[in-house]
Amino acid sequence: MNSSSPVPDPSSPPAAIEAAAAAWLSLRDRGMSADETTDFVRWLQQDPQHAAVFAELDGVWKDFDRLGAVPASMPAGLAPDADLLAPRERPRRHRVIAWGVLGAAAAAVVVLAAFQTRGARHTAETAVGAFQKLDLPDGSIAQLNTDSALDVAFTAAERRVRVVRGEVFFSVAKDPARPFFVAAGPVIVRAVGTAFNVRHRPEAVEVLVTEGRVAVVPSAPPVAASSSSPIPPAVPELSAGERTIVPLAASRAATAPTAPSIERIAAPAVQRALAWQERRLEFDAVPLAEVAREFNRYNRRQLVIADAALAGRRFSGAFRADGYESFVRLLEADFGVTVEHRGREILLHAGR
């Protein structure tokens, strides 16, 4: 056991449990080592009260995180900041871990994801607009994008992760004896030591490889005896700089789906696809309908295209993921778009 981990005696009084839970939250946010993750799971399993206090504290911090979220300011010129075009290191935030002063410190606390244990399984999730870097027990790293969730189930023989929803980037530690599987709907990605991005959308699963090689194959989940739904076909292995999109709607159709294609992605396109890791959105001649969908993934306020004529207009640029207000002002000032605010919706009309 890592002696530096905040693991109290199971008979600890409530105040000690609360302090330990707060310490674990702080460790989880900055990223746990494999030893710390093992100690954390052991601490949760020692006493049901540990998990209950941890979940309660986690929920309180999430509520304060949502209340404190504000859009980033932009220059008066309405163009994106120049430094948005270059990756930036996320500044560290200082956290107060004493339960008794939690209320006073809440504004400085940002808890981006939940990591809980359920028996031998682990789960992690992020809220809308939140991001999280998660150290897995084997030394692999999972970076969760906004509104994402995953399940982790490792055994001595294999490593399995399920992307329940959203988008996750994996940096997989090499271990030929234990293959690494990522399931997203009916699609399974198999890797040993590599790096790749998985985006699980209702209509498709997208896999982009940045290092090494992965195999993308169909799974065979149980189906009703009367079901004739075909399974998405397998695709060859993907190498670094290649992407495939496996349509899920086709898997529910009566006709057999066509094999998903593999496309080679240029380095700038790979950078744009993974700009979310730097809390940015990058577009290159992208239709407004798609731009709006991307902003909507990261924000509670939703962009709604009220006039179909606007949907196909193309835009380029780099913006903060939470910078929808700056983008809307840019549409108003430079493209003649009329904006209407209605509750949590921002309606975009063609200029009149």
Side-chain angles (χ1 to χ4, degrees):
M1 181 183 295
N2 186 347
S3 60
S4 65
S5 300
V7 183
D9 183 88
S11 61
S12 298
I17 295 176
E18 291 167 354
W24 280 122
L25 282 170
S26 180
L27 283 175
R28 186 201 63 193
D29 191 27
R30 64 97 165 128
M32 293 185 189
S33 68
D35 287 342
E36 288 169 338
T37 300
T38 300
D39 288 346
F40 174 52
V41 172
R42 184 180 294 111
W43 179 76
L44 287 173
Q45 293 175 336
Q46 280 179 346
D47 188 331
Q49 188 67 13
H50 292 181
V53 172
F54 182 87
E56 181 181 1
L57 180 58
D58 180 50
V60 171
W61 284 13
K62 281 183 178 179
D63 289 341
F64 278 109
D65 180 36
R66 286 190 287 268
L67 289 172
V70 295
S73 60
M74 299 290 279
L78 300 179
D81 290 324
D83 64 348
L84 286 177
L85 299 177
R88 294 192 309 277
E89 188 168 329
R90 179 182 169 209
R92 287 189 175 273
R93 296 172 173 85
H94 297 287
R95 293 165 177 81
V96 178
I97 62 174
W99 178 265
V101 294
L102 176 61
V109 176
V110 179
V111 178
L112 298 181
F115 187 50
Q116 300 175 325
T117 180
R118 297 174 180 173
R121 304 181 67 90
H122 311 287
T123 65
E125 64 178 339
T126 53
V128 172
F131 306 82
Q132 175 70 2
K133 176 183 175 183
L134 188 67
D135 291 331
L136 299 179
D138 67 328
S140 299
I141 296 173
Q143 298 183 59
L144 284 73
N145 199 355
T146 176
D147 192 20
S148 299
L150 58 78
D151 290 332
V152 180
F154 284 7
T155 68
E158 63 184 20
R159 299 168 289 174
R160 288 191 176 271
V161 178
R162 182 170 67 96
V163 177
V164 179
R165 68 175 187 274
E167 185 170 16
V168 184
F169 182 85
F170 296 94
S171 297
V172 180
K174 291 184 178 180
D175 186 353
R178 287 202 305 165
F180 194 101
F181 297 97
V182 175
V187 177
I188 290 181
V189 181
R190 185 185 189 278
V192 175
T194 183
F196 56 96
N197 194 73
V198 176
R199 182 173 176 182
H200 187 188
R201 295 176 287 169
E203 70 276 9
V205 172
E206 177 181 327
V207 180
L208 170 62
V209 180
T210 62
E211 180 183 332
R213 298 174 66 85
V214 305
V216 180
V217 297
S219 66
V223 295
S226 60
S227 173
S228 59
S229 299
I231 299 297
V235 300
E237 286 189 345
L238 302 181
S239 301
E242 292 182 336
R243 174 175 65 187
T244 188
I245 299 176
V246 182
L248 300 184
S251 69
R252 295 189 293 268
T255 59
T258 58
S261 61
I262 296 176
E263 58 178 330
R264 169 66 58 174
I265 304 297
V270 172
Q271 178 181 336
R272 287 192 295 272
L274 300 180
W276 63 266
Q277 295 175 333
E278 301 295 335
R279 317 310 188 243
R280 292 179 291 119
L281 300 178
E282 293 188 3
F283 307 106
D284 182 21
V286 174
L288 180 59
E290 184 176 339
V291 174
R293 280 195 297 270
E294 285 302 299
F295 272 113
N296 289 345
R297 293 176 64 199
Y298 297 86
N299 300 279
R300 300 290 183 182
R301 300 285 307 270
Q302 299 286 283
L303 303 180
V304 178
I305 301 176
D307 293 333
L310 279 178
R313 294 189 62 179
R314 295 181 177 272
F315 295 86
S316 300
F319 302 87
R320 299 182 190 276
D322 61 356
Y324 67 93
E325 291 184 336
S326 298
F327 178 68
V328 168
R329 292 198 299 268
L330 183 65
L331 293 178
E332 289 182 291
D334 293 355
F335 297 93
V337 174
T338 302
V339 176
E340 176 187 356
H341 294 268
R342 183 184 299 172
R344 289 192 173 185
E345 293 183 341
I346 302 175
L347 279 63
L348 307 177
H349 300 272
R352 295 178 173 82

